[in-house]
Amino acid sequence: MERESMEFDVVIVGAGPAGLSAAYHLKKLANDKQQDISVCVLEKGSEVGAHILSGAILETTALDELIPDWQEKGAPLTTPVTEDELYLLKDQQRATKVPGWAIPAPMHNDGNYIVSLGNVCRWLATQAEAIGVEIFPGFAAAEIAYDDNGRVKGVYTGDMGIGKDGEQKDSYMPGMALYGKYTLFAEGCRGHLGKQLISQFKLDENSDPQHYGIGIKELWEIDPALHKPGLVVHGSGWPLDNDTTGGFFLYHADNNQVVVGLIVDLNYSNPHISPFDEFQQMKHHPLFADVLSTGKRLSYGARAIAKGGLNALPDMAFPGGLLIGCDAGTLNFAKIKGTHTAMKSGMIAAENVLNALIQNEQENLPDTLTGFTDAFRDSWLHKELHASRNFGPAMHKFGPIMGGAYNWIEQNLFKGRLPWTLHDTKPDYAQMKPASECPEKHYPKPDGKLSFDKLSSVYLSNTNHEEDQPSHLRLLDPAIPVKVNLTKYNEPAQRYCPAGVYEIVEAESGPQLQINAQNCVHCKTCDIKDPSQNICWVPPEGTGGPNYPNM
C-alpha cells in the first residue's frame, strides 16, 4: 500500500497553545487580506486537549492580541485570580508564609486566570476551525520529510497496524505524507521531531543546554466550605532536600475543584529521588491535607517542562519551517508560565509565514524565515524572556534560598535589567551521581486518601495504547540499563518515571529492565533524565497516550 499525500500551504505539528495560535492567526490574517492560505494542524492525541497538561495560570497578554473579544466568544476563562500566597515548607508540619512584598514580582498574578489549559485548547480549536483551519486529531507526526536539498517539506504520520514483532497486521494502514510550503513544529516540551531538527541544523550551537523540570499534577473535588475560588498558592521546601530544587502549586479553580502539583527540577543528582513519591508525601503537609483530606481525587497526569529560558533557546528558524512554543523552550520560568509565551511565538510565526507566502512565488520562497528571528527579537516576548534569563541559573547555582534572594533583588529592584547573564552549561542528565555516593530515600506507603501509588494514578489519566505495537520507548543499547544504569545508578528510570513504565525484574539470566509502555503518559522525562541518554521517546500509534479531562 502506497503512502497517500496531501499538500497545504502550512502544516503545523501539535494542537497546543503555540500551534493553535499560529494556525488561527495565520488563517485570520490571510482571510482579512483575501488570501486563500490552507492550514493543517496535526494532533497526536485522540482529541485536541487530550495530551495537554499544565497548572495552569493563564496570563491573557497574547490572547488579548489574538482574539480580543475572547470573553464574548465564550473562552473558558471563568476563574480570575483573587489572591496570591507563597509558603516555605520547613518540615512535614511547619510552614512559613512569605509576606507579599517578598514575593518575586513575576509571581504576582493580578489579572490572570486559573484555567484548564486542555479546555482552553479545545476552545481555540473551535475558533480556528470556524475560520477554515483543518485539524486532524489522532495522527502522530512520526518523521520529518525533506526535499532533495535538505529543506523540510512536511511530515509523515505514523503507520497504523504494526505488531510488536514489526510485522504488518490485518489492520495495517500506512501513514500519510503531509507537505507544506512551511512546516511549524509545536509539539510541546522535548518534541521528538524538534529534537531531531535541533540536531540536524545545529540550532543550539550558540545556546546553553536546555533545562527541564517534571510537573506532576492532580485534580481534586473538595468540600465547598474549604473552596476559595481564585486563590493561588505557590511555594517550595519540604519534602525536597537542599540538593533538589522545585516548587509546588495549589490553585482553587471553579466547581469546588482544586489542582495540586509539584515541579521537580531534573538537574537533581541523587538517583534515589522519586519525584512522584515526593509529591505524594508532600500532600500530607497540613497546608494541603487540610484542603484535600475530605475531598476526592479526580485526575492525575505528568509532563516535562522546558525551563532553560532565553539562554537555552535554540535558533527557531531552519530551512522550511520554524520551532515554536515549548518545542523551542519559550516558557518563562520566573513566572512559571508558558502559555502566553507559546501563543505569542506562534503568532509571530504566523505573521512571518504569511508575509513570505504573499510576497513570493512558490519557486522563490525563502528557505529560512530569517524575518522571524528579527521579529522575535523586537517583540515583548523576547523582552520578557530577557528580563528573566537569570532566574533558572541563579536557582541552580546558588540553591533555593540564596538563588531566591538573588532573583528577588533582580526582579523586584532591577526589573531584570542587571547588566550580566548567568549561565548553566551542564545538562540535567549529567548531574546524576553514582548511587553509592548518595543517601537512599525511603518513602512512606501511600494511605489511599491523600497519597496513592503509580498504577492507580495512571488509571486516572485515562492512558491507553494499542498493546500489540512496537514499544515507543526505544533503547539505543539494550544492555545499558543493567550493565551501566543498574550497576552505577540503581537504574533511576524506576523512580524518575511517574507512571511505572520502567521496572527491574529478575529473570533466569539475571536482572532485566521491563518496559511497561502501556502506562506511558508521554511526559518525556525518561528521554531527558536517563544518565546514559539511552532512551529515545517516539510517538506510538495515533490516539495513544493519556486522555486528560479538565487538565
Side-chain angles (χ1 to χ4, degrees), residues 67-183:
I67 307 177
D69 56 345
W70 54 265
Q71 289 179 309
E72 290 79 2
K73 290 185 173 178
L77 281 69
T78 57
T79 309
V81 175
T82 57
E83 186 178 0
D84 277 302
E85 294 181 353
L86 182 67
Y87 290 87
L88 297 177
L89 303 189
K90 303 177 76 172
D91 55 33
Q92 59 188 0
Q93 288 292 327
R94 298 180 299 161
T96 298
K97 185 176 181 181
V98 178
W101 61 265
I103 299 175
M107 294 185 66
H108 288 277
N109 287 291
D110 296 339
N112 297 334
Y113 290 80
I114 300 170
V115 301
S116 157
L117 189 56
N119 289 340
V120 171
C121 288
R122 292 179 177 99
W123 174 81
L124 274 175
T126 64
Q127 303 305 305
E129 288 180 315
I131 60 172
V133 174
E134 297 183 63
I135 302 177
F136 302 139
F139 289 90
E143 298 178 55
I144 302 166
Y146 297 94
D147 67 15
D148 293 340
N149 297 316
R151 182 185 191 273
V152 173
K153 66 174 184 178
V155 294
Y156 302 120
T157 65
D159 294 344
M160 306 284 280
I162 302 290
K164 285 184 178 180
D165 58 5
E167 298 296 321
Q168 297 176 6
K169 299 185 291 187
D170 292 342
S171 58
Y172 173 74
M173 288 289 291
M176 294 185 62
L178 292 102
Y179 298 131
K181 296 171 183 174
Y182 290 105
T183 307

Side-chain angles (χ1 to χ4, degrees), residues 192-207:
H192 85 287
L193 297 181
K195 186 172 72 168
Q196 293 175 33
L197 290 165
I198 290 170
S199 175
Q200 170 75 12
F201 295 109
K202 297 180 172 58
L203 302 179
D204 61 347
E205 63 182 354
N206 297 314
S207 306

Side-chain angles (χ1 to χ4, degrees), residues 182-461:
Y182 290 105
T183 307
L184 309 184
F185 292 83
E187 306 163 283
C189 174
R190 194 71 167 196
H192 85 287
L193 297 181
K195 186 172 72 168
Q196 293 175 33
L197 290 165
I198 290 170
S199 175
Q200 170 75 12
F201 295 109
K202 297 180 172 58
L203 302 179
D204 61 347
E205 63 182 354
N206 297 314
S207 306
D208 289 352
Q210 185 59 266
H211 296 283
Y212 301 91
I214 176 174
I216 303 173
K217 172 185 174 180
E218 293 175 348
L219 175 67
W220 285 67
E221 183 177 20
I222 64 168
D223 182 344
L226 301 173
H227 189 233
K228 301 176 182 178
L231 173 63
V232 168
V233 180
H234 285 123
S236 61
W238 183 90
L240 301 182
D241 57 33
N242 292 332
D243 182 57
T244 310
T245 54
F248 61 78
F249 57 91
L250 177 68
Y251 304 153
H252 287 247
D254 55 8
N255 299 322
N256 298 318
Q257 293 181 348
V258 299
V259 293
V260 58
L262 176 68
I263 298 172
V264 177
D265 294 347
L266 289 178
N267 67 332
Y268 65 82
S269 62
N270 185 343
H272 301 296
I273 291 287
S274 167
F276 174 89
D277 291 298
E278 298 282 337
F279 171 53
Q280 298 304 321
Q281 187 177 6
M282 182 198 81
K283 287 181 291 174
H284 285 273
H285 192 284
L287 185 69
F288 307 98
D290 290 348
V291 175
L292 303 176
S293 58
T294 57
K296 178 184 179 182
R297 190 173 68 146
L298 303 177
S299 191
Y300 165 86
R303 187 69 171 94
I305 300 164
K307 52 179 287 292
L310 187 69
N311 300 343
L313 271 186
D315 292 334
M316 298 162 71
F318 53 84
L322 297 166
L323 280 175
I324 57 176
C326 288
D327 217 350
T330 57
L331 180 138
N332 181 347
F333 200 65
K335 289 185 174 182
I336 326 176
K337 294 178 184 64
T339 302
H340 69 292
T341 55
M343 292 175 68
K344 182 61 175 178
S345 73
M347 294 165 66
I348 298 170
E351 292 161 7
N352 280 268
V353 167
L354 183 63
N355 288 340
L357 293 175
I358 290 177
Q359 294 173 10
N360 301 275
E361 298 296 330
Q362 170 69 35
E363 60 272 15
N364 294 320
L365 284 174
D367 275 349
T368 302
L369 293 166
T370 54
F372 172 88
T373 303
D374 295 333
F376 170 73
R377 287 175 179 161
D378 291 339
S379 69
W380 60 256
L381 171 55
H382 185 275
K383 181 179 179 181
E384 179 176 314
L385 293 180
H386 185 268
S388 63
R389 68 196 182 281
N390 290 329
F391 192 93
M395 297 296 288
H396 289 181
K397 285 178 176 291
F398 308 137
I401 302 300
M402 296 304 296
Y406 174 93
N407 283 321
W408 185 90
I409 293 170
E410 180 169 54
Q411 298 298 321
N412 289 45
L413 301 183
F414 292 92
K415 311 301 181 186
R417 293 193 290 265
L418 288 175
W420 56 76
T421 297
L422 303 178
H423 293 277
D424 186 355
T425 58
K426 191 172 184 179
D428 292 336
Y429 71 85
Q431 300 278 3
M432 192 163 281
K433 296 178 180 178
S436 60
E437 298 178 9
C438 301
E440 291 191 25
K441 296 281 291 188
H442 299 285
Y443 295 101
K445 289 184 178 181
D447 66 356
K449 296 179 180 179
L450 287 169
S451 51
F452 306 88
D453 61 21
K454 288 182 179 179
L455 293 185
S456 65
S457 299
V458 172
Y459 176 80
L460 289 181
S461 71

